[in-house]
Amino acid sequence: GQSLEQPSEVTAVEGAIVQINCTYQTSGFYGLSWYQQHDGGAPTFLSYNALDGLEETGRFSSFLSRSDSYGYLLLQELQMKDSASYFCALSRSYQKVTFGTGTKLQVIP
Amino acid sequence: DVKVTQSSRYLVKRTGEKVFLECVQDMDHENMFWYRQDPGLGLRLIYFSYDVKMKEKGDIPEGYSVSREKKERFSLILESASTNQTSMYLCASTTPLAYLPFFGEGSRLTVL
């Protein structure tokens, strides 16, 4: 089956920049989206790429390269509250949304 | 903004009890989904629905059923809860065309 691979854990310093990668092995999808999930909470939508390139939303940016089969989420000016899990998702059709394995981000002082 | 609302945030039930989880979305989305999320296993699809009264099994439908009587409402039913159904249950609906999922707040179910 299709899968999206992400690093399981990332640690970064408050105020720094961190990049979370998502690699996939599929084609013919509508777009790649990113979600944030705090412990015990529900996933909240962060960003979406339908086309190749960079999408910027405040401190968060997301990038997609279909030719290289990967995307990433970039978090700038990290804050302690950014400590959470982040996962990517590929939308291929109405019933085929594939989710990444999730990356647990720890922001340290 | 898309709003997906789940009826219960936290539930504690006993083995064998019937459990009813309800999800309502206010964006007139055709597609709705129920997932369960467990540590180390990520999101797993239980059932989805692409129209009123239409449903399809996902990857782990055993022990669950669903109901979609109205477009905005999608319910997950555990006819006889078991301890291995202790989990976080997430409802989602997807936008048309891009099929971008939006999630409800989640329902954390504990079966004793």
Side-chain angles (χ1 to χ4, degrees):
Chain A
Q2 305 297 332
S3 67
L4 287 79
E5 298 295 323
Q6 300 178 233
S8 58
E9 294 183 359
V10 173
T11 301
V13 179
E14 189 177 15
I17 299 172
V18 71
Q19 177 175 314
I20 298 173
N21 294 329
C22 173
T23 59
Y24 57 87
Q25 296 178 5
T26 191
S27 60
F29 60 91
Y30 290 96
L32 182 73
S33 50
W34 287 91
Y35 296 83
Q36 179 191 61
Q37 186 176 25
H38 286 97
D39 282 347
T44 56
F45 171 75
L46 291 176
S47 189
Y48 175 71
N49 293 76
L51 304 174
D52 281 9
L54 193 67
E55 289 287 336
E56 297 180 79
T57 312
R59 293 188 299 115
F60 297 160
S61 302
S62 60
F63 174 84
L64 174 64
S65 170
R66 291 176 185 262
S67 59
D68 295 322
S69 297
Y70 93 107
Y72 65 73
L73 179 70
L74 195 71
L75 295 82
Q76 303 182 71
E77 300 172 16
L78 279 174
Q79 302 175 8
M80 298 301 291
K81 67 178 182 180
D82 296 330
S83 292
S85 291
Y86 295 83
F87 60 89
C88 53
L90 268 184
S91 300
R92 295 185 288 141
S93 68
Y94 74 87
Q95 79 272 41
K96 286 185 171 61
V97 179
T98 305
F99 295 94
T101 49
T103 299
K104 190 173 180 68
L105 171 65
Q106 184 181 12
V107 181
I108 58 176
Chain B
D1 284 353
V2 175
K3 184 70 173 176
V4 180
T5 304
Q6 292 183 228
S7 56
S8 306
R9 291 295 308 276
Y10 301 96
L11 304 94
V12 180
K13 297 291 183 180
R14 296 202 176 276
T15 300
E17 282 191 278
K18 187 171 184 175
V19 182
F20 189 83
L21 301 178
E22 192 171 69
C23 174
V24 177
Q25 50 94 4
D26 67 355
M27 288 301 293
D28 202 37
H29 288 166
E30 293 181 346
N31 306 314
M32 297 187 73
F33 304 77
W34 275 106
Y35 296 91
R36 64 178 283 177
Q37 186 179 37
D38 301 287
L41 297 177
L43 283 160
R44 293 182 292 169
L45 180 63
I46 304 171
Y47 265 98
F48 65 95
S49 170
Y50 53 91
D51 202 353
V52 174
K53 295 191 186 296
M54 306 304 288
K55 59 187 178 184
E56 287 194 29
K57 294 180 180 179
D59 300 319
I60 52 163
E62 296 77 20
Y64 304 94
S65 63
V66 291
S67 172
R68 185 122 181 246
E69 296 298 317
K70 293 184 178 181
K71 191 175 186 178
E72 68 271 18
R73 198 176 299 267
F74 190 35
S75 302
L76 180 69
I77 303 149
L78 290 69
E79 292 289 344
S80 178
S82 62
T83 55
N84 63 11
Q85 291 178 311
T86 292
S87 186
M88 168 73 111
Y89 290 89
L90 290 164
C91 174
S93 68
T94 57
T95 60
L97 300 179
Y99 307 113
L100 186 62
F102 286 88
F103 292 90
E105 308 95 328
S107 298
R108 185 166 292 281
L109 171 67
T110 301
V111 183
L112 302 175

